Amino acid sequence: MMEIIERLKVKGITLTPQRIAIVEFLGKSVAHPTVEDIHKAIKRKYPTMSMATVYSTLRLLKELGEIQELSIMKRGKACFDPNPKLHHHFLCRKCGKILDMDVDCPIIKKGWVSGCRVEEAQAYLYGVCSECLKKEQSAKE
Amino acid sequence: MMEIIERLKVKGITLTPQRIAIVEFLGKSVAHPTVEDIHKAIKRKYPTMSMATVYSTLRLLKELGEIQELSIMKRGKACFDPNPKLHHHFLCRKCGKILDMDVDCPIIKKGWVSGCRVEEAQAYLYGVCSECLKKEQSAKE
DNA sequence: TTTCGTGCAAATCATTTGCATTCCA
DNA sequence: TGGAATGCAAATGATTTGCACGAAA
């Protein structure tokens, strides 16, 4: 994730310890954290870290195209994906986990559809993940 | 939309004038209205109609599978689609309009993906709609 | 009569904003 | 040093909830 830091530096973005901490946390996260998740995690290191700072840094990173915010919401809370590239998501209704889907849909992508210019695309699948299905199976036996 | 009313009756749902008004409004709406849109429209006929009633009726209809709530949000507000069948949506960043997309994606649908059971799927496309593109074009000339 | 829906107001909760203080370049 | 970032608290705005009243079976 140091590449992000480099790009921010090149763009003249002020690199505060808080911002670096957020970028580093996002870089190693795989769970599509909410603002609260991020705040809680970083508060251990920086006890004064405020929600306002987390919100503003996330907005900055989003505007710079370094991360993406998902339209799917974890129980009403926004969540973020450190991977800004086009990919889709699966939300498990049992455990609430969000999984990245590496499916390449020929239609849901940038380009043209019915005369409209598509600049961004996101697909959301909802259901039960393989882990939860396994648990259901064992419970039955 | 009278079929919905029929189905509600069969299921033993109490049919109040307010609920009927909401169902009728949704039935003839094509613009994916927000809760506020619905409330405002019906308030003309029923001046005492409260937001709480709109919210509770929408939740009821959603739980019964008669309508769907979109994960895409009109400026932070939830919006609803009277068509509960699987289809996708396009949000125009210029005019804010949401269009139904009649594309049949072979991957973004119910079924199985990577060991997960997909019960519901929604794809969202973001960009500029054909109308706004036309306006842009004329402005240039 | 008894249950259920309505509508008002108050409560909730995520997110935003104002502003004084502090920090990076 | 100067402009930008931080952090606190207060404000905002969508949605939910509690509860008394009224309507429906």
Side-chain angles (χ1 to χ4, degrees):
Chain A
M1 294 307 109
M2 284 308 110
E3 315 94 58
I4 297 190
I5 302 289
E6 274 311 309
R7 282 193 294 272
L8 297 181
K9 207 178 283 177
V10 169
K11 286 175 185 169
I13 306 295
T14 310
L15 287 172
T16 62
Q18 291 92 331
R19 286 183 173 174
I20 293 171
I22 291 173
V23 168
E24 281 177 349
F25 177 79
L26 283 172
K28 69 186 181 204
S29 74
V30 290
H32 306 87
T34 63
V35 181
E36 201 190 342
D37 294 335
I38 298 167
H39 180 245
K40 213 178 277 178
I42 295 176
K43 203 150 187 174
R44 289 190 214 116
K45 211 172 176 180
Y46 298 92
T48 62
M49 166 70 70
S50 76
M51 290 293 264
T53 300
V54 179
Y55 275 105
S56 89
T57 302
L58 289 171
R59 183 195 302 170
L60 177 71
L61 294 172
K62 193 171 72 170
E63 283 168 359
L64 293 169
E66 296 291 352
I67 63 171
Q68 60 178 312
E69 180 176 355
L70 304 188
S71 289
I72 210 172
M73 286 194 159
K74 272 187 182 168
R75 290 163 213 124
K77 297 177 190 173
C79 60
F80 293 82
D81 192 317
N83 175 5
K85 291 206 203 83
L86 193 153
H87 64 288
H88 305 308
H89 295 91
F90 176 92
L91 172 64
C92 178
R93 282 169 167 161
K94 292 276 174 194
C95 64
K97 202 165 40 193
I98 295 176
L99 300 169
D100 289 313
M101 303 301 308
D102 274 334
V103 296
D104 180 30
C105 180
I107 294 167
I108 310 304
K109 55 164 58 171
K110 297 176 195 183
W112 295 87
V113 180
S114 320
C116 300
R117 187 174 67 213
V118 179
E119 297 164 351
E120 203 185 324
Q122 299 184 336
Y124 298 104
L125 307 175
Y126 303 83
V128 183
C129 74
S130 50
E131 272 185 44
C132 287
L133 285 172
K134 260 180 228 158
K135 274 181 211 157
E136 262 183 19
Q137 203 58 36
S138 341
K140 271 186 205 157
E141 282 158 13
Chain B
M1 295 309 107
M2 285 308 109
E3 315 93 58
I4 298 189
I5 303 288
E6 274 312 308
R7 281 193 295 271
L8 297 181
K9 209 179 280 177
V10 169
K11 284 174 185 167
I13 306 295
T14 309
L15 288 173
T16 63
Q18 291 91 333
R19 286 182 174 172
I20 293 171
I22 291 173
V23 168
E24 282 178 348
F25 177 78
L26 283 172
K28 68 184 182 207
S29 75
V30 291
H32 306 88
T34 63
V35 181
E36 202 191 340
D37 293 335
I38 299 167
H39 179 245
K40 213 177 278 178
I42 296 177
K43 206 155 184 168
R44 289 191 215 117
K45 210 171 175 181
Y46 298 93
T48 62
M49 166 71 70
S50 76
M51 289 295 265
T53 300
V54 179
Y55 274 106
S56 89
T57 302
L58 289 170
R59 184 194 301 166
L60 177 70
L61 293 172
K62 192 170 73 170
E63 283 168 1
L64 293 170
E66 296 290 351
I67 63 171
Q68 61 179 311
E69 181 176 355
L70 304 187
S71 289
I72 210 172
M73 288 194 157
K74 271 188 182 169
R75 292 165 211 122
K77 298 177 188 173
C79 59
F80 294 82
D81 193 318
N83 175 5
K85 292 205 203 83
L86 193 154
H87 65 287
H88 306 308
H89 296 90
F90 176 92
L91 172 65
C92 178
R93 282 169 167 161
K94 292 275 175 194
C95 63
K97 202 166 38 195
I98 296 177
L99 300 170
D100 290 314
M101 304 300 308
D102 274 334
V103 297
D104 181 29
C105 180
I107 293 165
I108 310 304
K109 54 166 59 171
K110 297 175 193 182
W112 296 87
V113 179
S114 321
C116 300
R117 187 174 66 214
V118 180
E119 297 163 351
E120 201 186 326
Q122 299 183 337
Y124 298 103
L125 307 175
Y126 304 83
V128 183
C129 74
S130 50
E131 271 184 46
C132 287
L133 285 172
K134 259 180 230 157
K135 275 181 212 158
E136 262 183 19
Q137 202 59 35
S138 341
K140 271 185 205 156
E141 285 158 12

